[in-house]
Amino acid sequence: SIGTGVDVGGGKGATGFAGLSKQTQTARKRYVVIREIARGGMGKVLEVEDTDLRRSVALKVLRKELVDRRDLVERFLEEAQITGQLEHPNIVPVHEIGIDGKGNLYFTMKLVEGWGLNEILNKLRAGDKDTLREWTVARLLEMFLKLCEGIAFAHSRGVIHRDLKPANIMVGRFGEVQIMDWGVSKIVARNEKDAHEKAVISDRMESEFGATMVGAIVGTPSYMSPEQAKGETDALGVESDIFALGVILYELLSLRSPWTGKTSDEVLEQVRTYDPEPPSRRNLDRAIAPELDDLALRCLAK
């Protein structure tokens, strides 16, 4: 439970531990660790059992030694706040944020059972017969539509993801599609047509620490937009995510990346300057409608 909110002290918009209630830190052990799901530079994601609700959830925890880094604490809290406000069937739900008895900052999310889209693509590329039978182009496009709906919703609330890639898209056994890992998402200006929607806000955007580093390249090279590849952080808008969606669509259609570079630098240079050929020309074994070729290339227009 959060009590009066998350506040380090120091005025409006400051974020940290002080406002998290004492109850969170002294309560009996609510979460029991089952296994580690993923690990990164900021922390790790665990599968835990919520002993109150008798269900498994995903728990993301900030590394203990980073708790004194105010900028990273704010970024971690902002990820939870942004994701928590994006309530949509295709965006992973956040349940709770808190501090455990050892002083670790965490938030819990829905545990998505299924596969990463990257795993499905790898099996399709390898020619796995079961996967090819199950994941037809029509089914891949149905999944892609759900992905687009989730991103359109985020954009209507003033949020861009900035790291859309198959590894961040979970596909469940019953048609669920969940956009994961909003850790480098950014709150941006919205279009006038979206002004009637409720905008996402975070403590960090109201803090003097909230500015993004200018020129910092954030994202994954193959799925970056040209403006990301140039380090134009302040210029990023919804078009940047649409470019990444174009890369993903291109891969779903052709099973190949639009970029042929062998190193990150070569890929970034192609993202900035190279216009890829249509997906249908990259995989002659698949029947790809001209309209889909056209759509992928329109998303990838510089």
Side-chain angles (χ1 to χ4, degrees), residues 245-276:
L245 287 171
V247 178
I248 294 168
L249 176 60
Y250 193 105
E251 285 191 275
L252 295 178
L253 295 172
S254 69
L255 303 182
R256 290 164 179 63
S257 169
W259 324 118
T260 56
K262 298 287 186 286
T263 66
S264 292
D265 286 343
E266 285 177 13
V267 168
L268 288 171
E269 181 58 26
Q270 288 191 338
V271 168
R272 288 188 289 261
T273 61
Y274 169 74
D275 290 319

Side-chain angles (χ1 to χ4, degrees), residues 218-292:
V218 174
T220 304
S222 297
Y223 301 94
M224 277 186 192
S225 62
E227 55 272 30
Q228 276 176 295
K230 292 173 187 169
E232 295 170 358
T233 313
D234 289 342
L236 295 187
V238 297
E239 300 82 7
S240 192
D241 279 349
I242 292 169
F243 193 91
L245 287 171
V247 178
I248 294 168
L249 176 60
Y250 193 105
E251 285 191 275
L252 295 178
L253 295 172
S254 69
L255 303 182
R256 290 164 179 63
S257 169
W259 324 118
T260 56
K262 298 287 186 286
T263 66
S264 292
D265 286 343
E266 285 177 13
V267 168
L268 288 171
E269 181 58 26
Q270 288 191 338
V271 168
R272 288 188 289 261
T273 61
Y274 169 74
D275 290 319
E277 58 185 353
S280 57
R281 284 201 213 145
R282 296 291 304 282
N283 192 338
L284 300 176
D285 297 333
R286 299 187 113 200
I288 296 168
E291 294 88 348
L292 290 170

